[in-house]
Amino acid sequence: MKNPKVQVDRVTKIYTGNKKNAQVLALDTTNLTIMPNEFITILGPSGCGKSTLLRIVGGLEEQTTGHVYLDGEETFGPSSNRGMVFQAYSLFPWLTVEENIEFGLKTNEMTAAQRKELVHNYIDLVQLKGFEKHYPRQLSGGMQQRVAIARALANDPEILLLDEPFGALDNQTRTLMQELLLEIWEKSNKTILFITHDVEESIFLANRVIVMTSRPGRIKADIPIDLEHPRPYSIKIDPRFLAYKEQLTELIREESLKAMMEVK
Amino acid sequence: MEKALKTKEVVKQPPLRQVPNNQNGKPRNNKWFQPQGDIPHRTYVMISITSIVLLFALWSLLTYSGLVDSLFLPTPTDIFQSGVVLFTEYGFVGDITVTVYRVLVGFAAAAIIGVPLGIFMGTFKAVEAFFEPVISAIRYMPASAFIPLFILWIGVGELEKVTIIFVGTFFSLVLMTAVEVGNVRKELLEAAYTLGRSNFGVLRSVILPASIPGIMEIIRLILGWAWSYIIVAELVASSSGIGSLILESQRMLKTGNIIFGILTIGVLGLLSDLFLKVAIRKAFPWHYGR
């Protein structure tokens, strides 16, 4: 039995407003165990606290109660061992593609030549050869997200956290990006935690789909996806895939309806 | 050629069905009156030139014809002659140098202290809480109203002129810089944290580079204000500089000199603005594209 990579232990998050009693329970008691090399997607309607959970694991937000462990040790605050990819516009606009990817590399542990080689390996990996000297604003949305993924990976984090990274992309680009990410995962065997509200995306990418309820956020279902790797895009019309899709669509629909009826 | 003819033919053909009313809209041939509609660049330039020519023509008409007394508004030639006389006989270059020097020293002092302070205010809430109320309050007190007080405190020398420029620009510079720095996208800071940067590392390698183009634009804007404050400063108790020349000319009823002085300030302001504009665009290609 392997040790878990990440353990989320009885984590809750309460947001406190400026007024007295204006407290919102964003995340109810949540437990989650992520094994090494797992690709987990968290599926939930918007505003269900799935981003909050991811940001707590990433150390960008502090849980109200509970603990997060990485390789058995408790984490406090953000660190380079938990890489993060945001929805959009998180590249440093004053740096070129190369320089963005190099940003997190530690200057004292590597020579300039080593860094350069590493950066170029990652540029190859995300298929951006020829765009090394471009600035982010000269790239399309999909290319920008590829740089963001390469930047997070170049640091060799223990876990890669992605917060709806393809949410702002058009459908065709999103499909291609999913395939690319899956390919990278198959090659590198990283542990990945991926947030999405897209049912198809959650199945296509994951070993396990975690479904979350809305307001307060809570884990509703934990569904292992038993589909082989490598997964071609054509698997999306496979009967087994469609069965998962039906099951998850039902689960998420209840939550979406509930969320829609609630007053903000 | 043949292709072109064909196209014309097609265009000339009547529509398949005559539209019986206006409900489908009208073809737009003239974009001049379409809200926010684009007009050709050449047309735009021509219209701009026309406006300048018209203004000049009106001025010439009023002055050369004698409709307006030259005491109030001299002819273009008179003003040109005033300029020549100012440069050749009155040492106008000296006045310009003095004025430019005062603006640059006062503004440089404001920028050297104000920009770092603004950066710290925009970055750390505690610094903002400490300085913001006082600076916001002083910002709305007109710098020119302080002139009598400054004369009382530090006399009528160079320091007083420079101080007026400083006071006129410093407070806005600080506040606007703080806002610019505070607007750096949070995702950029968070990305840097997850890439292993410390608090200080984020300030140095994210907040500074992200906000510098905006800060330079603020500097450019506020330098424009400095040119108006210097004239106010030189109108009161000054024996040198363009402002004092303007006041002197008014006593002597030399309208041409007044207008030439005003034009000079305008040109100086325009030049400094253009210089900064070009320099900023060259310095930050990632912000403005290449």
Side-chain angles (χ1 to χ4, degrees):
Chain A
M1 184 70 191
K2 279 190 281 187
N3 291 321
K5 179 56 79 178
V6 171
Q7 268 180 303
V8 175
D9 178 27
R10 287 165 293 168
V11 163
T12 64
K13 176 74 186 179
I14 298 169
Y15 286 109
T16 314
N18 284 331
K19 286 182 201 157
K20 266 189 184 173
N21 304 327
Q23 291 193 333
V24 181
L25 180 60
L27 197 61
D28 203 352
T29 318
T30 297
N31 293 296
L32 179 64
T33 303
I34 304 171
M35 300 305 288
N37 309 341
E38 262 193 310
F39 196 140
I40 293 185
T41 53
I42 298 183
L43 179 66
S46 48
C48 74
K50 55 190 192 296
S51 282
T52 308
L53 175 58
L54 186 90
R55 290 169 59 83
I56 288 172
V57 175
L60 295 174
E61 262 178 62
E62 215 177 320
Q63 63 269 33
T64 311
T65 63
H67 310 274
V68 177
Y69 300 94
L70 178 75
D71 289 324
E73 283 179 32
E74 187 161 12
T75 60
F76 302 95
S79 162
S80 58
N81 58 18
R82 281 154 288 145
M84 188 104 171
V85 177
F86 299 84
Q87 186 167 10
Y89 308 117
S90 70
L91 295 182
F92 304 115
W94 59 93
L95 299 179
T96 61
V97 168
E98 285 182 318
E99 290 164 343
N100 262 286
I101 296 174
E102 202 185 338
F103 187 90
L105 300 180
K106 289 171 189 69
T107 40
N108 50 359
E109 284 173 21
M110 272 180 265
T111 64
Q114 283 173 319
R115 284 205 305 276
K116 204 177 154 132
E117 197 194 323
L118 196 80
V119 166
H120 281 262
N121 287 343
Y122 280 102
I123 285 177
D124 281 346
L125 185 70
V126 295
Q127 297 160 18
L128 279 174
K129 228 180 161 76
F131 293 95
E132 291 89 344
K133 306 284 179 203
H134 282 59
Y135 286 106
R137 62 186 293 281
Q138 299 170 302
L139 304 177
S140 69
M143 287 163 127
Q144 292 187 10
Q145 287 309 79
R146 279 188 264 166
V147 179
I149 291 170
R151 183 178 65 179
L153 282 174
N155 230 358
D156 197 24
E158 296 296 324
I159 183 167
L160 187 60
L161 309 166
L162 300 101
D163 191 359
E164 301 200 36
F166 310 144
L169 305 178
D170 64 81
N171 228 338
Q172 285 70 32
T173 313
R174 190 185 312 165
T175 309
L176 294 175
M177 292 291 289
Q178 290 165 1
E179 288 170 41
L180 180 74
L181 183 64
L182 203 53
E183 203 188 306
I184 290 173
W185 176 77
E186 282 159 3
K187 272 189 217 163
S188 68
N189 268 320
K190 280 262 168 258
T191 311
I192 294 183
L193 186 59
F194 186 108
I195 302 284
T196 181
H197 59 255
D198 185 304
V199 174
E200 218 171 69
E201 185 170 77
S202 72
I203 306 165
F204 182 66
L205 293 172
N207 308 124
R208 260 166 80 199
V209 178
I210 310 281
V211 183
M212 283 187 72
T213 62
S214 60
R215 286 163 207 274
R218 192 184 291 140
I219 291 177
K220 180 178 185 175
D222 186 338
I223 296 167
I225 302 295
D226 193 14
L227 297 170
E228 68 280 358
H229 284 281
R231 288 178 191 168
Y233 68 92
S234 51
I235 206 164
K236 288 185 184 175
I237 49 167
D238 188 292
R240 291 172 297 159
F241 190 97
L242 294 176
Y244 283 123
K245 193 172 169 182
E246 196 184 343
Q247 183 190 3
L248 287 167
T249 306
E250 260 332 296
L251 283 169
I252 198 87
R253 192 180 150 77
E254 283 169 31
E255 292 312 314
S256 306
L257 281 173
K258 242 172 46 191
M260 209 169 81
M261 291 307 157
E262 260 173 48
V263 186
K264 278 224 166 182
Chain B
M1 193 63 197
E2 206 186 312
K3 207 175 179 183
L5 280 174
K6 256 189 188 162
T7 318
K8 238 179 193 173
E9 257 169 48
V10 173
V11 171
K12 269 188 183 168
Q13 277 182 1
L16 294 176
R17 191 174 64 88
Q18 285 291 333
V19 180
N21 52 37
N22 280 340
Q23 285 177 12
N24 289 353
K26 284 178 269 179
R28 283 197 156 132
N29 296 325
N30 192 338
K31 299 250 174 129
W32 285 34
F33 297 107
Q34 181 191 337
Q36 301 185 344
D38 280 324
I39 55 171
H41 183 68
R42 272 180 68 94
T43 317
Y44 190 97
V45 173
M46 289 309 290
I47 297 175
S48 301
I49 292 173
T50 312
S51 98
I52 297 166
V53 169
L54 272 180
L55 183 71
F56 202 78
L58 183 69
W59 177 18
S60 302
L61 182 79
L62 289 176
T63 49
Y64 288 120
S65 66
L67 273 173
V68 172
D69 193 320
S70 71
L71 176 65
F72 299 118
L73 186 62
T75 63
T77 22
D78 281 349
I79 286 173
F80 179 74
Q81 277 165 357
S82 305
V84 172
V85 172
L86 278 176
F87 275 114
T88 50
E89 290 169 32
Y90 286 86
F92 192 46
V93 175
D95 282 314
I96 293 177
T97 316
V98 167
T99 299
V100 170
Y101 168 80
R102 286 166 179 164
V103 166
L104 290 187
V105 171
F107 188 70
I112 287 168
I113 306 171
V115 169
L117 181 59
I119 290 172
F120 279 113
M121 277 175 68
T123 308
F124 302 109
K125 285 281 171 230
V127 182
E128 184 191 279
F130 185 81
F131 286 104
E132 220 265 352
V134 179
I135 292 182
S136 288
I138 301 177
R139 183 193 191 186
Y140 288 104
M141 303 178 189
S144 28
F146 280 94
I147 295 177
L149 196 61
F150 291 150
I151 293 178
L152 194 67
W153 286 347
I154 48 184
V156 293
E158 285 305 302
L159 185 62
E160 180 246 347
K161 310 287 180 290
V162 169
T163 306
I164 290 164
I165 299 294
F166 181 88
V167 170
T169 55
F170 176 77
F171 299 98
S172 293
L173 196 56
V174 172
L175 291 180
M176 288 170 78
T177 303
V179 170
E180 178 69 29
V181 170
N183 281 341
V184 172
R185 292 179 63 87
K186 234 188 166 125
E187 284 91 337
L188 297 185
L189 307 189
E190 292 181 340
Y193 283 126
T194 61
L195 291 166
R197 286 294 201 277
S198 62
N199 284 337
F200 178 73
V202 164
L203 172 59
R204 195 180 54 111
S205 54
V206 178
I207 291 183
L208 284 185
S211 55
I212 270 190
I215 293 174
M216 290 306 294
E217 286 292 346
I218 291 166
I219 284 179
R220 194 187 124 214
L221 177 82
I222 296 185
L223 180 59
W225 305 357
W227 291 110
S228 33
Y229 282 119
I230 190 60
I231 297 307
V232 180
E234 288 178 349
L235 283 177
V236 182
S238 180
S239 55
S240 59
I242 301 174
S244 102
L245 173 110
I246 289 174
L247 194 70
E248 200 71 5
S249 307
Q250 184 231 326
R251 289 198 188 111
M252 313 274 201
L253 295 180
K254 285 188 178 162
T255 323
N257 286 1
I258 298 179
I259 293 178
F260 193 79
I262 295 171
L263 289 178
T264 308
I265 283 288
V267 169
L268 285 175
L270 191 67
L271 284 180
S272 71
D273 192 71
L274 270 180
F275 172 76
L276 278 179
K277 201 172 177 173
V278 172
I280 291 169
R281 283 187 172 255
K282 282 252 187 287
F284 308 111
W286 55 269
H287 194 70
Y288 299 96
R290 330 184 203 204

